[in-house]
Amino acid sequence: TQLKINRRSLTAYLLGEHGDSSMIPWSHVTVAGKPIDELLAEKPDVYHMDSKDEILRKVHEEGTWENSMKGCTEFGVSSATAELRAIYHDEHKILPCSVYLDGPYGIKDSFASVPVKIGKDGVEDIIELHLTDEENEEFQKSIKVLKEHFERALKL
């Protein structure tokens, strides 16, 4: 019941790791190109939603619930993989993908999910969103979690 707008009419990204440290750059969430905060402020009687923290908590919980109930999240992964038809059809489509970052977002030597342009040669460009200071802090925390996971995996 969030907003009562079809989800396909929203543009939003989840950045960072694929897990509980992922973050939503709310300054880039839009409805028909209008920032969500503007829409909510202009028409609070028509459009309202849970707090941003609550929405992010629900996003994190949904993945955990899906995994605990079914033991996997293959449908989410399958639908995301199906979007990669953009490679075969050379669509130049913007999709969130985990890519190697060595400069964008101020990240060095790490992989993270960010918006990228996909075409016949794979990742054609990394789209760097200009994050607010708070968003950047949350994104950096997620990168730190990713690096910690990687370091633990190297020790196995």
Side-chain angles (χ1 to χ4, degrees):
T1 63
Q2 303 292 323
L3 296 176
K4 295 186 180 173
I5 294 175
N6 184 298
R7 65 183 173 85
R8 295 184 188 272
S9 299
L10 293 159
T11 299
Y13 294 98
L14 201 58
L15 304 184
E17 69 140 344
H18 185 82
D20 289 344
S21 76
S22 60
M23 54 80 64
I24 300 170
W26 287 101
S27 65
H28 293 276
V29 175
T30 61
V31 176
K34 181 185 274 290
I36 190 73
D37 288 337
E38 282 182 30
L39 183 68
L40 293 168
E42 289 173 3
K43 297 186 176 184
D45 54 321
V46 178
Y47 302 107
H48 36 81
M49 63 183 206
D50 290 343
S51 74
K52 293 172 182 176
D53 289 340
E54 179 67 9
I55 289 171
L56 184 59
R57 184 189 64 73
K58 287 178 180 178
V59 168
H60 291 162
E61 278 184 359
E62 186 67 27
T64 301
W65 179 86
E66 185 98 5
N67 203 25
S68 68
M69 296 302 284
K70 294 183 352 186
C72 59
T73 58
E74 79 277 0
F75 294 114
V77 173
S78 298
S79 65
T81 302
E83 283 293 324
L84 292 179
R85 69 182 179 275
I87 295 170
Y88 181 76
H89 295 289
D90 198 24
E91 293 179 14
H92 310 289
K93 191 171 189 176
I94 307 300
L95 294 170
C97 289
S98 184
V99 295
Y100 181 70
L101 299 174
D102 197 25
Y105 295 92
I107 307 298
K108 296 287 186 193
D109 195 31
S110 189
F111 286 84
S113 180
V114 295
V116 298
K117 181 176 144 188
I118 300 285
K120 68 177 174 54
D121 296 321
V123 174
E124 297 178 341
D125 190 25
I126 294 171
I127 308 299
E128 188 169 356
L129 302 176
H130 296 285
L131 304 176
T132 66
D133 290 343
E134 183 179 322
E135 290 168 346
N136 188 53
E137 186 176 314
E138 291 301 311
F139 186 57
Q140 297 298 328
K141 284 180 189 174
S142 187
I143 297 300
K144 183 178 179 200
V145 167
L146 282 165
K147 287 185 174 188
E148 288 168 357
H149 287 312
F150 183 73
E151 289 299 320
R152 264 183 288 191
L154 287 176
K155 292 178 184 177
L156 295 178

